[in-house]
Amino acid sequence: MDTKPYAVFSKGPDSHFLGFNKAYEAIFGVRREDLIGKRVLDLEYLPWEDRQAYQAEDEAVIASGGRVQKEMSIPFCDGVVHQTLYSVDGFRLSDGSPGGLIGLIVDISDLRAAEERLRASEEKYRGIFNRSPVGIFRTSVAGRVVEANPALSRMLGYESREELISLATDLASDIYPSREGRVRLLEALAATPEGVCMEIEFRRRDGTPFHAIIN
């Protein structure tokens, strides 16, 4: 247990602490000898309302032999409220009577912070994508348009990007005015798979052609 990087603890059938590992000591700034034999109600570093809720939960898990797993905010001894994955499992003895519970607390603060940064980055990208005056699109390997911004939809004469995506089933056949245009692009991509920058003739939905640079 002491080699685990996350807090592990155990309690007996009476909900008193049987033990916990070094990570638990470090996270909450406590010593084993001070807590063994105590209940969560006795943990003064936790708010009283939280202690009451934990105690009721412990007793229910032990009695049922069930499991509780949830994300929750827990204050650590560093004075910071951490986002954690909290899990407790009740167990029974060989005669079927309640034996206690095993619990763990995994700090997922860094993970949640990374997810928030990713979400913010995606929102920023989406804003740039949607507001760009330049037509932007993404296709599948087969050439199907899977994403397009409003500027491209307007450029090609579609009412919306949703309409463009639904109708332009094949980028080559539905947008390029000639097979030659498609061949030129495919040859260029084959020669420089990292990307191309070239002028090519497109056509609008009504069939009128126009020249554009594709990159």
Side-chain angles (χ1 to χ4, degrees):
M1 288 174 61
D2 280 336
T3 63
K4 301 299 182 184
Y6 42 80
V8 182
F9 59 93
S10 61
K11 298 179 181 181
D14 55 3
S15 76
H16 289 70
F17 275 102
L18 296 176
F20 45 84
N21 65 350
K22 288 182 178 179
Y24 190 102
E25 289 183 296
I27 285 173
F28 295 110
V30 296
R31 300 186 305 169
R32 303 182 206 199
E33 55 267 31
D34 294 334
L35 292 188
I36 299 300
K38 293 185 177 180
R39 300 172 301 165
V40 70
L41 287 174
D42 304 316
L43 306 185
E44 296 182 357
Y45 58 83
L46 294 175
W48 173 246
E49 293 79 8
D50 292 347
R51 285 185 263 170
Q52 290 180 305
Y54 288 142
Q55 182 65 36
E57 185 175 84
D58 286 350
E59 293 175 359
V61 168
I62 292 171
S64 66
R67 162 180 287 187
V68 171
Q69 183 171 307
K70 57 189 174 182
E71 287 190 27
M72 60 187 304
S73 302
I74 299 179
F76 288 5
C77 67
D78 60 5
V80 177
V81 176
H82 291 247
Q83 299 300 311
T84 71
L85 178 63
Y86 177 86
S87 176
V88 289
D89 287 270
F91 63 90
R92 296 189 178 278
L93 301 178
S94 57
D95 62 2
S97 62
L101 62 79
I102 299 289
L104 63 86
I105 302 171
V106 181
D107 187 355
I108 58 173
S109 299
D110 290 344
L111 174 62
R112 290 293 174 262
E115 289 176 345
E116 178 59 27
R117 290 193 296 271
L118 178 60
R119 184 194 63 78
S121 177
E122 289 176 343
E123 288 183 355
K124 181 179 180 180
Y125 161 77
R126 182 58 57 184
I128 295 173
F129 181 85
N130 288 332
R131 292 192 298 270
S132 174
V134 177
I136 303 173
F137 64 90
R138 182 169 61 87
T139 70
S140 66
V141 175
R144 182 184 179 87
V145 178
V146 295
E147 192 171 16
N149 71 341
L152 181 68
S153 304
R154 292 191 296 270
M155 187 184 303
L156 296 175
Y158 289 86
E159 293 294 331
S160 67
R161 61 185 177 184
E162 290 77 18
E163 182 184 35
L164 169 62
I165 292 171
S166 67
L167 296 179
T169 56
D170 186 326
L171 183 63
S173 63
D174 290 349
I175 296 177
Y176 298 132
S178 66
R179 182 178 182 277
E180 289 73 18
R182 178 184 183 185
V183 170
R184 283 184 58 213
L185 178 60
L186 293 178
E187 287 179 346
L189 287 173
T192 55
E194 66 274 10
V196 299
C197 181
M198 60 187 294
E199 183 177 330
I200 195 168
E201 188 179 60
F202 283 81
R203 67 181 174 191
R204 297 184 177 87
R205 188 181 182 187
D206 62 7
T208 57
F210 70 97
H211 285 265
I213 294 176
I214 187 169
N215 189 356

